[in-house]
């Protein structure tokens, strides 16, 4: 979604700002803009690609500026609504991420005061109120505090002033970090944009404001109380984010899965004891014995990983577990048991729906552990404990390697829990042995992915695609459907295979494509029933099955994956669904990495 980048230093700001925006491009946006201080506040913005905006950017001198990528919420995709927004006297410029809930009322107040508004956005009010206060003699900090006392909602806000050599920042519900270079400072909503300049950063917390000049950042609470802020070290793995020889980030990230899963599990498996150790998820044995249940919360792909985690926990640790759609979690005033364990799962660590569920659980007295990819992200910090999944940067909007590592981390956790309870050492050792083999199996599958092109032929012109799976393959079906829908824009429906006859079967016509995930996992015979029911009505079956399994004969297109133990099959069966989605989107000529309307990190509820 919206992104912010700022620079205060000695180099040409506009070039660095554009570079920073390009690093934020993967998050999804519809317009972009920059403003640089150079005698006046010179601003340039446009709709469409950053590269187009940048190619018509006049040469702007100046070594201090702020920039933005917008993902429309209030007001259409127009140049006027793009950020930055400037006060009418040209002395204050702002960029804002988030939503101001009482903006209509504040816009009316400004109009009554005779201020002409230049956009339909909720964000523009900031620059006008700040500018009015400056005219009345308030300091920039006083003016910022004053406008923040008027607004309700969420903000990651940067303010640039014509008459001062610093940028003021504020954060409430929308991330903002400040990175320190040598006599230069960087501001961003995403560590990814800062990583190439520095690995030293300060992450603002909700309710904080900051003054950033070319040498340092001063952080304080909104009421002016000073805050002790220390620089975090951005992990090394956050660096490898270039496309290399791949045409798209999605394909690159699909192929990185063997290595990223290796990162996630290496050093955490204890083969001799048949267990694993996740430092951030160590729970005292006596607390474990009393654990009433575990709840796993996430959105989209993270939700599908949570659904798999739920099954793994119940199977291996025999603890009741349930997964929840984060965006629904708070809707019905959930009952929270403070003795229960809660896991918040998120790649970005910034998803507003998940964050809001975390806060609700904490408000009601329970702990939440994060299972997060982005180091130092809001959810990771809000939880204060948990594990990083170590996927490295994921830039394609369609999540692939983060799914694999979420499932990998949840499998490690389930094994650790199981071994602290009833799981035998022998069983634990065989699970650990199989987990260790997975990266190699992923690699070998991706080297020889089977008849993906034939599957693409079947789905690319179809009205809709049905995905079926049973047991632990049911969330894989959902993940496959989400992926194809997101990037190929084909309506997809995912159902537990046994549920198909209770409704979705009505959709099946001659040649309807049905993707069936059917590893040899003990529930396969019942999946077969659904396949026969589909075939009897003319459906074309794309079957994902284990190598050497005679079930292959039943598929119209059969895609073999390496065999593993049933509970780990999602880590292999998801791979063909990712490739089908990728190839289909490509064949249909879509922008694979930046599908329409979607954002990489969804920071609004
Ligand atoms: C996945 O392909 C999606 N783009 C989306 O569903 C995503 O998984 C969801 O928005 C949750 O994001 P998070 O993992 O960053 O919290």
């Amino acid at each position: 979604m919206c992104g912010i980048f700022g620079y205060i230093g000695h180099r040409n700001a506009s070039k660095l700002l554009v570079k920073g925006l390009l690093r934020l491009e993967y998050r999804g946006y519809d317009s972009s803009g920059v403003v640089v201080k150079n005698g006046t506040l010179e601003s340039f913005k446009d709709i469409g690609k950053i590269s187009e905006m940048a190619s018509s950017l006049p040469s702007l001198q100046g070594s201090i500026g702020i920039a933005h990528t917008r993902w429309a919420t209030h007001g259409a995709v127009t140049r006027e609504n793009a950020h930055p927004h400037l006060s009418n006297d040209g002395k204050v410029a702002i960029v804002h991420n988030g939503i101001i809930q009482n903006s209509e009322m504040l816009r009316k107040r400004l109009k009554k005061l005779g201020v002409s508004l230049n956009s339909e956005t909720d964000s523009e009010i900031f620059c006008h109120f700040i500018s009015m206060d400056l005219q009345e003699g308030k300091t920039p900090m006083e003016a910022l505090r004053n406008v923040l006392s008027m607004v309700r909602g969420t903000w990651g806000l940067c303010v640039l002033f014509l008459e001062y050599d610093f940028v003021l920042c504020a954060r409430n519900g929308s991330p903002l970090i400040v990175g320190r270079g040598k006599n230069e400072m960087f501001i961003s909503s995403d560590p990814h944009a800062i990583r190439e300049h520095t690995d030293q950063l300060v992450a603002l917390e909700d309710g904080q404001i900051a003054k950033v000049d070319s040498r340092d950042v001063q952080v304080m609470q909104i009421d002016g109380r000073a805050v002790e802020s220390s620089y975090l070290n951005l992990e090394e793995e956050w660096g490898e984010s270039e496309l290399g020889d791949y045409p798209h980030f999605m394909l690159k990230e699909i192929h990185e899965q063997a290595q990223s899963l290796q990162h996630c599990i290496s050093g955490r498996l204890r083969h001799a004891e048949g267990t694993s150790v996740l430092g951030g998820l160590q729970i005292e044995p006596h607390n474990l014995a009393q654990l009433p249940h575990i709840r796993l919360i996430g959105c989209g792909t993270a939700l599908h990983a949570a659904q798999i985690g739920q099954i793994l926990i119940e199977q291996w640790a025999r603890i009741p577990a349930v997964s929840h759609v984060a965006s629904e979690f708070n809707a019905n005033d959930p009952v929270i048991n403070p003795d229960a364990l809660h896991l918040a799962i998120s790649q970005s660590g910034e998803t507003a729906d998940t964050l809001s569920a975390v806060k609700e659980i904490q408000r009601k007295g329970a702990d939440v552990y994060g299972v997060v990819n982005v180091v130092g992200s809001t959810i990771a910090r809000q939880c204060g404990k948990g594990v990083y999944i170590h996927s490295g940067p994921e830039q394609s909007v369609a999540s692939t390697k983060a799914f694999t590592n979420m499932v990998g981390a949840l499998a490690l956790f389930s094994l650790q829990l199981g071994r602290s309870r009833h799981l035998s050492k022998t069983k634990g050792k065989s699970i650990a042995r199989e987990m260790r083999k997975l990266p190699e199996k992923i690699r070998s599958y991706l080297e020889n992915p089977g008849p993906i092109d034939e599957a693409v032929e079947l789905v690319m012109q179809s009205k809709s695609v049905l995905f079926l799976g049973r047991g632990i393959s049911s969330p894989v079906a959902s993940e496959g459907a989400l992926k194809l829908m997101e990037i190929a824009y084909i309506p997809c429906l995912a159902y537990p295979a046994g549920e198909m006859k209770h409704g979705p079967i009505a959709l099946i016509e001659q040649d309807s494509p049905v993707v069936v995930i059917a590893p040899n996992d003990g529930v396969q015979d019942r999946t077969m029933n659904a396949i026969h029911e589909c075939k009897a009505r003319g459906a074309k079956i794309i079957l994902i099955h284990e190598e050497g399994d005679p079930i292959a004969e039943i598929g119209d297109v059969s895609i073999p994956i390496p065999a593993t133990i049933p509970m780990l099959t999602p880590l292999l069966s998801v791979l063909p669904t990712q490739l089908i989605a990728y190839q289909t989107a490509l064949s249909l000529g879509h922008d694979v990495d930046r599908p329409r309307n979607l954002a990489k990190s969804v920071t609004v509820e």
Side-chain angles (χ1 to χ4, degrees):
M1 279 187 161
C2 302
I4 288 177
F5 192 80
Y7 176 75
I8 307 115
H10 47 83
R11 293 191 269 164
N12 181 298
S14 70
K15 287 195 178 121
L16 289 162
L17 294 176
V18 169
K19 227 172 157 200
L21 290 185
L22 288 169
R23 288 255 168 193
L24 297 173
E25 195 164 35
Y26 78 101
R27 296 166 63 95
Y29 69 102
D30 44 54
S31 48
S32 60
V34 299
V35 57
V36 171
K37 190 178 127 166
N38 177 31
T40 58
L41 292 186
E42 292 189 53
S43 152
F44 197 84
K45 54 191 189 177
D46 211 345
I47 60 169
K49 298 265 179 212
I50 294 166
S51 52
E52 286 160 22
M53 185 275 290
S55 66
S56 45
L57 191 69
S59 127
L60 301 175
Q61 297 307 310
S63 56
I64 168 166
I66 53 179
H68 192 259
T69 48
R70 176 173 188 253
W71 189 84
T73 56
H74 287 57
V77 180
T78 62
R79 178 179 290 177
E80 292 70 33
N81 289 337
H83 300 212
H85 295 288
L86 263 75
S87 59
N88 292 323
D89 63 3
K91 291 187 177 178
V92 179
I94 67 102
V95 293
H96 166 234
N97 287 355
I99 291 180
I100 301 305
Q101 282 151 7
N102 57 342
S103 62
E104 269 318 303
M105 184 270 281
L106 294 170
R107 285 172 65 90
K108 277 187 195 144
R109 194 188 291 176
L110 282 168
K111 280 183 196 158
K112 268 196 188 154
L113 291 166
V115 176
S116 56
L117 294 166
N118 308 309
S119 75
E120 304 161 298
T121 64
D122 54 339
S123 309
E124 188 190 347
I125 53 122
F126 282 109
C127 55
H128 298 303
F129 279 114
I130 292 173
S131 144
M132 284 192 312
D133 277 354
L134 292 182
Q135 284 166 23
E136 283 174 15
K138 288 201 174 85
T139 65
M141 198 52 104
E142 286 166 345
L144 175 65
R145 274 201 210 106
N146 190 31
V147 71
L148 292 180
S149 71
M150 295 180 214
V151 290
R152 275 191 294 107
T154 53
W155 54 86
L157 176 72
C158 286
V159 193
L160 177 67
F161 302 89
L162 177 63
E163 286 162 0
Y164 300 89
D165 284 337
F166 54 74
V167 171
L168 292 187
C169 304
R171 177 202 157 126
N172 187 44
S174 197
L176 215 48
I177 56 172
V178 181
R180 177 174 60 180
K182 207 166 173 220
N183 295 330
E184 55 184 0
M185 300 291 282
F186 303 87
I187 303 165
S188 182
S189 51
D190 186 334
H192 179 66
I194 280 187
R195 182 63 186 85
E196 65 176 312
H197 302 293
T198 175
D199 57 3
Q200 297 285 300
L201 64 90
V202 169
L204 298 191
E205 301 288 348
D206 283 350
Q208 291 184 339
I209 51 184
K211 181 177 164 190
V212 189
D213 62 25
S214 60
R215 285 169 187 273
D216 210 352
V217 53
Q218 225 184 312
V219 183
M220 58 207 94
Q221 297 297 349
I222 204 161
D223 60 11
R225 275 177 299 133
V227 170
E228 191 102 354
S229 53
S230 48
Y231 285 90
L232 304 169
N233 223 325
L234 209 55
E235 286 188 17
E236 198 46 46
E237 66 188 63
W238 220 246
E240 16 104 6
S241 55
E242 303 303 335
L243 251 184
D245 293 336
Y246 287 96
H248 299 101
F249 279 107
M250 184 176 177
L251 190 63
K252 173 177 184 254
E253 288 157 8
I254 288 173
H255 281 271
E256 281 172 351
Q257 288 177 105
Q259 200 195 357
S260 66
L261 183 64
Q262 184 75 52
H263 270 148
C264 176
I265 61 178
S266 68
R268 288 167 161 179
L269 276 176
R270 298 284 178 274
H271 301 282
E273 298 93 49
T275 189
S276 68
V277 178
L278 285 167
L281 282 171
Q282 291 282 33
I283 298 154
E284 292 298 322
H286 68 273
N287 290 340
L288 251 185
Q290 287 159 15
L291 211 54
H293 59 254
I294 297 178
R295 288 169 121 172
L296 304 96
I297 297 144
C299 298
T301 289
L303 173 68
H304 301 146
Q307 290 164 342
I308 292 169
Q310 165 189 335
I311 298 171
L312 291 171
I313 290 167
E314 292 210 339
Q315 287 285 318
W316 291 347
R318 309 307 292 161
I319 300 173
V322 61
S323 51
H324 294 269
V325 177
S327 58
E328 283 292 299
F329 193 74
N330 295 356
N332 300 311
D333 193 13
V335 177
I336 300 296
N337 183 338
D339 296 329
L341 182 70
H342 300 85
L343 300 176
I345 301 160
S346 177
Q347 188 286 128
S348 62
E350 302 297 346
T351 302
D353 290 319
T354 309
L355 180 62
S356 154
V358 169
K359 288 181 178 168
E360 177 71 3
I361 296 165
Q362 291 173 333
R363 207 172 3 252
K364 291 180 171 169
D367 283 340
V368 192
Y369 291 75
V371 179
V372 171
N373 192 32
V374 177
V375 177
S377 56
T378 308
I379 293 173
R381 285 182 292 116
Q382 180 71 30
C383 292
K385 49 187 146 189
V387 292
Y388 286 117
I389 63 169
H390 295 306
S391 297
E394 188 183 70
Q395 295 198 62
S396 163
V397 166
S399 185
T400 53
K401 63 177 181 168
F403 171 82
T404 291
N405 278 26
M406 285 168 186
V407 174
L410 290 169
L412 289 170
F413 177 54
S414 309
L415 176 60
Q416 177 178 326
L417 274 185
R419 287 289 290 123
S420 322
R421 289 170 60 106
H422 312 290
L423 196 74
S424 72
K425 187 168 168 180
T426 315
K427 183 95 195 285
K429 278 173 99 165
S430 78
I431 293 170
R433 200 165 37 243
E434 276 306 314
M435 284 194 77
R436 195 172 45 177
K437 291 181 193 159
L438 282 170
E440 191 43 49
K441 289 185 180 180
I442 292 176
R443 203 168 283 124
S444 91
Y445 169 75
L446 290 172
E447 272 167 19
N448 185 13
I452 299 295
D453 291 349
E454 289 175 38
V456 172
E457 278 301 306
L458 289 184
V459 301
M460 69 179 279
Q461 299 305 341
S462 62
K463 281 191 292 195
S464 66
V465 182
L466 180 60
F467 284 74
L468 300 176
R470 199 179 167 87
I472 203 153
S473 295
S474 175
V476 180
S478 301
E479 177 59 10
L482 174 68
K483 220 84 311 171
L484 186 59
M485 187 164 54
E486 276 190 297
I487 60 170
Y489 316 144
I490 298 174
C492 295
L493 196 61
Y495 255 78
E499 191 66 8
M500 201 261 315
K501 56 189 177 295
H502 297 289
I505 196 166
L507 295 176
I508 305 285
E509 309 174 335
Q510 189 61 40
D511 295 336
S512 298
V514 180
V515 179
V516 185
I517 324 288
N520 194 354
D521 58 2
V523 292
Q524 196 194 49
D525 51 340
R526 311 266 290 278
T527 307
M528 288 279 276
N529 295 345
I531 297 177
H532 288 304
E533 288 155 10
C534 291
K535 276 183 92 81
R537 287 158 183 84
K540 291 271 186 276
I541 305 296
I542 298 164
L543 186 69
I544 297 172
H545 64 90
E546 288 182 347
E547 275 162 4
D549 188 336
I551 196 180
E553 287 168 18
I554 207 171
D556 294 283
V557 174
S558 293
I559 305 176
I561 54 168
T564 183
I565 56 173
M567 287 296 111
L568 295 178
T569 53
L571 292 159
L572 295 159
S573 59
V574 77
L575 303 172
T577 69
Q578 297 169 343
L579 289 173
I580 291 170
Y582 173 77
Q583 291 289 2
T584 306
L586 207 62
S587 308
L588 292 171
H590 299 318
D591 186 341
V592 176
D593 284 338
R594 281 182 281 281
R596 69 183 179 207
N597 303 338
L598 287 171
K600 182 64 182 162
S601 118
V602 183
T603 49
V604 292
E605 280 184 62

